[in-house]
Amino acid sequence: MIKKLRIFDFDDTIFETEGKVILKKSSGEVVELTPAEYALYEPEMGDTFDFSQFAKVINPTLIRPVAKRFYKIVSAGTDNRSYVILTARGSEAIPHIKEIIRKYFNVDIDVVALGDGNPQAKADWILNKINNEGYNDIFFVDDSSKNIMATYRTIKDLPIKYKLVDLSTPRKDRKSTRLNSSHVSESRM
């Protein structure tokens, strides 16, 4: 039996927000990073990060191409399928994310807040769902190529169907209004 799991990241995937990661370098310099900039940043020795602006969702702006696909998928019903927002944000953001999803899409969806920006955390969460709950058809959309690659490396040899969509190409550079299919890893059982 096919059991589908549809996973969407939140920040810079379904919504852009004004929350910033505050980076304090060992030199004393303080830098504000957007979620997209943080996803690409390679930490240096002595760096410290402040994620406090992500406890709430600050001024969300819908990313329409992904939002259209998200709505189509979550409106398809729940027979043998589950939907989830999987975010690196901490658990304090869950009610805020749920409220915004309800406001824009009129759906109630599970939100998993890992409280961990390590790409392997998302990959491990997905692997746990495959191994312990029997999901065998995975669709994962994220704006971080690191998250997509960690997931690919983790599940690529499993006997499942998967589609991993990498939205790391800046939106202004995308020619299409569809999900960026040029950055898709896909396998069929």
Side-chain angles (χ1 to χ4, degrees), residues 38-112:
Y38 175 74
L40 298 174
Y41 183 75
E42 294 293 333
E44 298 172 2
M45 189 78 114
D47 285 352
T48 59
F49 299 95
D50 173 359
F51 299 97
S52 61
Q53 291 187 22
F54 292 92
K56 293 185 178 181
V57 179
I58 302 170
N59 297 327
T61 302
L62 198 62
I63 300 172
R64 293 201 182 279
V66 181
K68 285 180 184 179
R69 176 67 66 93
F70 172 79
Y71 184 72
K72 182 178 179 184
I73 288 171
V74 299
S75 298
T78 57
D79 290 343
N80 295 321
R81 71 182 77 199
S82 297
Y83 314 100
V84 67
I85 302 289
L86 182 61
T87 179
R89 288 176 181 247
S91 60
E92 63 278 358
I94 291 174
H96 304 286
I97 293 171
K98 283 180 163 277
E99 177 185 335
I100 288 164
I101 296 295
R102 263 188 240 106
K103 176 182 173 184
Y104 281 85
F105 301 102
N106 198 30
V107 296
D108 204 12
I109 188 168
D110 287 335
V111 175
V112 175

Side-chain angles (χ1 to χ4, degrees), residues 20-43:
K20 303 278 193 291
V21 176
I22 309 302
L23 162 62
K24 295 178 185 169
K25 295 182 168 239
S26 59
S27 65
E29 179 185 8
V30 176
V31 179
E32 290 186 349
L33 301 172
T34 66
E37 291 167 337
Y38 175 74
L40 298 174
Y41 183 75
E42 294 293 333

Side-chain angles (χ1 to χ4, degrees), residues 69 139 163-167 169 174-186:
R69 176 67 66 93
F139 178 75
K163 186 171 187 177
L164 310 176
V165 182
D166 179 352
L167 299 178
T169 303
R174 292 189 200 139
K175 306 267 189 260
S176 171
T177 58
R178 296 177 304 135
L179 290 180
N180 187 3
S181 59
S182 65
H183 292 84
V184 173
S185 299
E186 191 168 359

Side-chain angles (χ1 to χ4, degrees), residues 13 16 119-120 140 156 159:
T13 299
E16 285 183 326
Q120 193 60 45
F140 176 39
K156 68 182 173 73

Side-chain angles (χ1 to χ4, degrees), residues 109-128:
I109 188 168
D110 287 335
V111 175
V112 175
L114 297 172
D116 187 344
N118 182 336
Q120 193 60 45
K122 286 188 177 184
D124 289 344
W125 185 89
I126 293 168
L127 181 62
N128 181 56

